[in-house]
């Protein structure tokens, strides 16, 4: 088996989906978490980063950058990317949608003007997020009545992706209150034995 090293900051952020893929697949990896306050970033790592940023995945010493490229590679390697070309494309579709949701969150998450932050987050929670979750609920229902997964009949990185979105939105059920199929899917993914074990021991971080 190849040797895997995932390098990111000490937070979930743009590396957490890849960590979830590793854990769901039961594949060991070195989880390197950098503390920029201690000079660990940029330190030795920026010179190794093709685009000057994290996360980085090292596979037997070879480096891969860009968070979605890393996660997609791992999902394919560990049979979590869909069983056919069509299923793989559908997984990609959902992952891109999760990326859109994340981009909306980042618009206000780091806003320093408190009034503007409140305005942006208010619109997100009342309009933007329910619209996106509504799309996802409808698409989930198309596959086995919403009782299984987004794609196919088993766990894929799309399922892990919505569990990651759950954490991004605060790790509570409240945003999903009007979307019972989505919430049930999140619960199924989080209750997967390998995922559940990871979540139980995962370090608590600010992001």
């Amino acid at each position: 088996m190849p040797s895997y090293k995932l390098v990111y900051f000490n937070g979930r952020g743009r590396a957490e989906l890849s960590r979830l893929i590793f854990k769901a697949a039961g594949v060991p990896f070195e989880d390197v978490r950098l503390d920029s306050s201690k000079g660990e970033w940029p330190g030795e790592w920026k010179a190794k980063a093709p685009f000057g940023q994290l996360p980085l995945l090292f596979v037997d010493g070879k480096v891969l950058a860009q968070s979605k490229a890393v996660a997609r590679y791992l999902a394919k390697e560990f049979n979590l990317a869909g069983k056919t070309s069509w299923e793989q494309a559908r997984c990609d579709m959902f992952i891109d949608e999760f990326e859109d949701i994340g981009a909306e969150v980042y618009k206000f998450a780091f806003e320093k003007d408190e009034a503007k932050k409140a305005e942006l987050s208010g619109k997100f929670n009342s309009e933007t997020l329910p619209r996106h979750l509504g799309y996802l609920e409808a698409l989930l229902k198309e596959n086995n009545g919403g009782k299984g997964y987004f794609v196919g009949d088993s766990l894929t990185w799309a399922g892990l992706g919505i569990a990651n979105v759950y954490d991004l939105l605060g790790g509570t059920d409240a945003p999903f209150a009007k979307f019972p199929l989505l919430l049930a899917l999140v619960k199924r993914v989080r209750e997967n034995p390998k995922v559940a074990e990871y979540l139980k021991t995962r370090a608590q971080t600010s992001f």
Side-chain angles (χ1 to χ4, degrees), residues 105-122:
V105 171
Y106 296 141
K107 285 181 181 179
F108 63 82
F110 303 106
E111 175 59 55
K112 295 181 179 179
D113 183 317
E114 290 300 324
K116 187 174 182 180
K117 183 173 185 175
E119 178 186 353
L120 291 172
S121 63

Side-chain angles (χ1 to χ4, degrees), residues 3 8 11 28 37 40 42 55 63-64 80 93 95 97 106 112 121 129-130 143 168 178 180-181 185 194:
S3 169
Y8 191 60
S37 70
E40 294 174 350
V63 65
L64 186 65
L80 291 169
M93 177 185 78
I95 295 297
E97 168 65 3
Y106 296 141
K112 295 181 179 179
S121 63
L129 181 60
N143 189 32
L168 176 68
K178 296 182 179 179
L181 296 177
L185 172 58
K194 292 176 181 176

Side-chain angles (χ1 to χ4, degrees), residues 124-153:
F124 173 79
N125 288 313
S126 64
E127 300 178 22
T128 308
L129 181 60
R131 182 174 69 251
H132 282 281
L133 296 183
Y135 296 151
L136 291 168
E137 178 96 348
L139 288 165
L140 176 58
K141 192 172 183 179
E142 290 177 3
N143 189 32
N144 194 32
K147 298 177 182 178
Y149 298 93
F150 279 127
V151 177
D153 58 4

Side-chain angles (χ1 to χ4, degrees), residues 33-49:
R33 295 169 177 253
L34 304 182
D35 185 342
S36 55
S37 70
K38 296 180 180 178
E40 294 174 350
W41 176 263
E44 66 179 280
W45 296 103
K46 193 159 189 175
K48 300 177 182 179

Side-chain angles (χ1 to χ4, degrees), residues 36-102:
S36 55
S37 70
K38 296 180 180 178
E40 294 174 350
W41 176 263
E44 66 179 280
W45 296 103
K46 193 159 189 175
K48 300 177 182 179
F51 304 109
Q53 59 189 19
L54 301 177
L56 301 173
L57 176 69
F58 291 87
V59 183
D60 288 339
K62 297 180 293 185
V63 65
L64 186 65
Q66 295 292 356
S67 56
K68 283 201 297 182
V70 168
R72 184 179 293 109
Y73 169 79
L74 295 173
K76 288 182 177 180
E77 287 294 292
F78 306 151
N79 299 314
L80 291 169
K83 297 174 183 176
T84 66
S85 295
W86 178 254
E87 287 190 0
Q88 290 174 9
R90 292 283 287 187
C91 283
D92 287 347
M93 177 185 78
F94 285 108
I95 295 297
D96 285 347
E97 168 65 3
F98 304 151
E99 188 82 0
D100 287 348
I101 293 174

